[in-house]
Amino acid sequence: MKTVFKITLIGSGNVATHLGRVLVNNGFTINEVYSKSLDNAEGLAKQLKANATNQITALSNNTDLYLICLKDDTISSILVDFPFKDQLIAHTSGSIPLDIFKEHGFNRYGVFYPLQTFSKEKEVAINEVPFCVEASDNKSKEVLLSIANQISTNVYEISSEQRKILHVAAVFASNFTNHLYSIAQEITDSYDLDFNILKPLIDETTKKAFQNPPRLMQTGPAKRNDKKLIADHLAFLADQPAYQKIYHLLSDSIIDSLK
Amino acid sequence: MKTVFKITLIGSGNVATHLGRVLVNNGFTINEVYSKSLDNAEGLAKQLKANATNQITALSNNTDLYLICLKDDTISSILVDFPFKDQLIAHTSGSIPLDIFKEHGFNRYGVFYPLQTFSKEKEVAINEVPFCVEASDNKSKEVLLSIANQISTNVYEISSEQRKILHVAAVFASNFTNHLYSIAQEITDSYDLDFNILKPLIDETTKKAFQNPPRLMQTGPAKRNDKKLIADHLAFLADQPAYQKIYHLLSDSIIDSLK
């Protein structure tokens, strides 16, 4: 069933941009875009054929949902000044509890968390993105689930506690992994080697992780407890003590995890 | 050009098994399989229609290439007892220098290193695997390049020094990454959440790494230097001090790398 809602975006960063585009592409109306920078609000609003404002107290109330796409540490201050407490409002954060809305006197609220990494200028296949939905009441939940199900095939009802756990796991599986890729690229770049040589290896590692438990798929010097090779690699990293420390700690952790 | 060689596999583990199968599938003959365990040698030899032995001194010399697929720390002892010093011999290790053969009195030798992670019971698309080739002389190099080019589209001439660098980078990009997946799964499993919810996120992270420099694609609490959230996550991990330590170190490293 296609139910079209009018949505107001609070924020104009990566999450607001990606969600705004996919919502418009799926027939939703973005009514208004708020950003504390009027330029940013207008920039995104123009793409989405929406109005723009940088005054939270001047927001239109002609909307079905206020969708907050802001950094975690700015959400609270926006809620303090928010003019409408009886309309549906949701945030998109992995870590802010649902209760933040109650604490600020809201009556209908929810969470609409896309478990994905969004970067500027990089399109994401939103229809595969898991959306984690939670709400204050059934009617609000139905609206959020309806929107999520119209843009993604991966929609979950997830409590604030579960969302926090998923977020911690995601930091390990995505943010930290990306940092390791970054270190690997720094190493290959430093010696004029092509980082792309590592692509088949990385693809295979990632593919395997969802076919068998990654713990059982572990390979490498630490898995074999090859002390000589580990010492060689640590010596090679002597000029980069930060990376040496990471190599040491993760190798020890692999060795311990296989005991 | 198709040039078929007779190959002897020294070893019967994951690398020997994967390479043996792909060589046979590409029309090569595996003449003989050596393993210190006769059972293991016979098990693999049967699959490859080869002979089997557990006596290194009893190896046949009816071969074009001895391909050593052993753990790094056992290669040296095999070379000591190896009966033929004038036939082409190569190893498949990421870290053992080419010179190990010279040190043991060999005259024709090389390296045939597949930069990939091989696990039992998990087929690998060998034709995409980068093969790093190095040899003592042009004729030996031609044989190794010919074999590599017949089974893969990704063949590189790589020096021992470059191979070592690639190997260190691969430990970060694959072995450590897999360990982070393993930690993420342990976290989701502990709370009865489905690890597969993280798949689109992990796929996107990996895809992005080869479209833009991963350093520029970094997201997450450390990227935003969100001290409150980092402290929250560290508190959540209080019962798992090893993972807490990894979270701490990698977050600090991300923060430092973006300075």
Side-chain angles (χ1 to χ4, degrees):
Chain A
M1 193 184 71
K2 187 120 193 107
T3 315
V4 169
F5 297 95
K6 278 196 295 258
I7 297 168
T8 300
L9 291 178
I10 311 295
S12 61
N14 290 337
V15 174
T17 303
H18 282 92
L19 286 183
R21 283 184 196 151
V22 77
L23 288 166
V24 166
N25 290 343
N26 279 272
F28 292 92
T29 301
I30 304 298
N31 210 42
E32 195 168 22
V33 175
Y34 162 86
S35 169
K36 70 178 177 184
S37 146
L38 190 59
D39 275 0
N40 291 349
E42 284 175 344
L44 181 56
K46 199 176 165 192
Q47 289 180 48
L48 306 175
K49 296 183 181 156
N51 298 315
T53 182
N54 64 344
Q55 300 293 325
I56 200 77
T57 51
L59 275 177
S60 160
N61 68 349
N62 178 22
T63 191
D64 298 306
L65 169 67
Y66 295 102
L67 191 60
I68 302 183
C69 309
L70 295 172
K71 282 186 192 175
D72 289 358
D73 57 1
T74 61
I75 293 179
S76 197
S77 65
I78 286 289
L79 296 186
V80 168
D81 298 328
F82 209 85
F84 310 108
K85 303 282 183 178
D86 295 317
Q87 278 186 268
L88 180 57
I89 185 166
H91 74 65
T92 52
S93 159
S95 28
I96 303 287
L98 179 67
D99 281 352
I100 192 171
F101 292 111
K102 197 176 177 182
E103 288 159 16
H104 287 84
F106 288 83
N107 296 309
R108 295 177 57 216
Y109 48 85
V111 176
F112 189 83
Y113 169 51
L115 180 48
Q116 187 51 283
T117 166
F118 296 103
S119 301
K120 243 172 213 146
E121 307 308 332
K122 167 76 185 69
E123 289 301 321
V124 167
I126 294 271
N127 65 320
E128 291 166 12
V129 171
F131 277 82
C132 302
V133 168
E134 186 183 9
S136 57
D137 58 283
N138 281 335
K139 204 179 143 197
S140 300
K141 191 162 71 184
E142 272 167 33
V143 173
L144 296 175
L145 287 174
S146 168
I147 298 171
N149 280 314
Q150 288 180 64
I151 60 178
S152 171
T153 55
N154 260 330
V155 179
Y156 300 86
E157 289 187 42
I158 294 279
S159 71
S160 287
E161 179 63 15
Q162 289 174 316
R163 183 160 41 86
K164 184 181 174 177
I165 293 154
L166 276 178
H167 196 210
V168 175
V171 170
F172 281 92
S174 168
N175 303 151
F176 291 166
T177 292
N178 184 72
H179 185 55
L180 296 181
Y181 294 158
S182 171
I183 294 172
Q185 187 179 38
E186 198 179 319
I187 293 171
T188 52
D189 281 3
S190 307
Y191 293 89
D192 284 331
L193 286 160
D194 183 356
F195 178 56
N196 284 295
I197 300 182
L198 296 173
K199 187 172 188 304
L201 174 68
I202 287 176
D203 285 345
E204 175 70 11
T205 305
T206 299
K207 212 165 100 186
K208 278 206 294 197
F210 292 95
Q211 295 173 334
N212 297 283
R215 190 174 168 279
L216 303 181
M217 293 293 104
Q218 189 66 52
T219 59
K223 159 71 195 317
R224 301 190 301 271
N225 204 354
D226 185 337
K227 292 194 176 69
K228 190 182 162 298
L229 183 54
I230 293 172
D232 267 11
H233 285 179
L234 288 172
F236 174 79
L237 294 166
D239 292 343
Q240 289 158 309
Y243 300 160
Q244 198 185 41
K245 219 167 153 184
I246 291 171
Y247 190 106
H248 210 299
L249 185 63
L250 288 173
S251 293
D252 283 354
S253 180
I254 291 170
I255 292 166
D256 285 346
S257 75
L258 300 172
K259 268 177 189 163
Chain B
M1 192 186 68
K2 186 121 193 106
T3 316
V4 169
F5 297 96
K6 277 196 296 257
I7 297 167
T8 300
L9 292 177
I10 311 295
S12 62
N14 290 336
V15 174
T17 303
H18 282 92
L19 286 183
R21 282 185 197 148
V22 77
L23 287 166
V24 166
N25 290 343
N26 279 272
F28 292 92
T29 301
I30 305 298
N31 211 41
E32 194 169 22
V33 176
Y34 161 86
S35 169
K36 70 178 177 183
S37 145
L38 190 59
D39 275 1
N40 290 348
E42 284 175 343
L44 181 56
K46 200 178 162 190
Q47 289 181 47
L48 306 175
K49 297 184 180 156
N51 297 315
T53 182
N54 65 345
Q55 300 294 325
I56 201 77
T57 51
L59 277 177
S60 160
N61 68 348
N62 179 24
T63 192
D64 298 306
L65 169 67
Y66 295 102
L67 192 59
I68 302 183
C69 308
L70 296 172
K71 281 186 192 176
D72 289 358
D73 56 1
T74 61
I75 293 179
S76 197
S77 64
I78 285 288
L79 296 186
V80 169
D81 298 328
F82 209 85
F84 310 109
K85 304 283 184 178
D86 295 318
Q87 279 186 266
L88 180 57
I89 185 166
H91 73 64
T92 53
S93 159
S95 28
I96 303 286
L98 178 68
D99 281 351
I100 192 171
F101 293 111
K102 197 175 177 183
E103 288 160 15
H104 287 84
F106 288 83
N107 295 308
R108 296 178 55 217
Y109 48 84
V111 175
F112 190 82
Y113 168 50
L115 180 48
Q116 187 51 281
T117 167
F118 296 102
S119 303
K120 244 171 213 150
E121 308 307 331
K122 168 75 185 70
E123 289 301 322
V124 167
I126 296 269
N127 66 319
E128 291 167 11
V129 170
F131 276 82
C132 303
V133 169
E134 185 182 9
S136 57
D137 58 283
N138 280 336
K139 203 179 145 198
S140 300
K141 190 162 72 184
E142 272 167 33
V143 172
L144 296 175
L145 287 175
S146 168
I147 298 171
N149 280 314
Q150 289 179 64
I151 61 178
S152 171
T153 55
N154 259 330
V155 180
Y156 300 85
E157 289 187 43
I158 294 279
S159 72
S160 288
E161 178 64 15
Q162 289 174 316
R163 183 160 40 86
K164 182 180 174 175
I165 293 154
L166 277 178
H167 196 209
V168 175
V171 170
F172 280 92
S174 169
N175 303 151
F176 291 166
T177 291
N178 184 71
H179 185 54
L180 296 181
Y181 294 158
S182 173
I183 294 173
Q185 187 178 40
E186 197 179 319
I187 294 172
T188 52
D189 282 1
S190 307
Y191 293 89
D192 284 330
L193 286 160
D194 183 357
F195 178 56
N196 284 296
I197 300 182
L198 296 174
K199 188 173 187 301
L201 174 68
I202 288 175
D203 285 346
E204 175 69 11
T205 306
T206 300
K207 212 165 100 186
K208 277 204 296 197
F210 292 95
Q211 295 173 335
N212 296 284
R215 191 175 168 279
L216 303 181
M217 293 292 105
Q218 189 65 53
T219 60
K223 159 73 196 313
R224 301 190 301 271
N225 205 354
D226 185 337
K227 291 194 178 67
K228 190 180 162 299
L229 183 54
I230 292 172
D232 267 9
H233 284 179
L234 288 172
F236 173 79
L237 293 167
D239 292 342
Q240 289 158 308
Y243 299 160
Q244 197 184 42
K245 218 166 154 184
I246 291 171
Y247 190 106
H248 210 300
L249 185 63
L250 288 173
S251 293
D252 283 354
S253 180
I254 291 170
I255 293 166
D256 286 346
S257 75
L258 299 172
K259 266 176 191 165

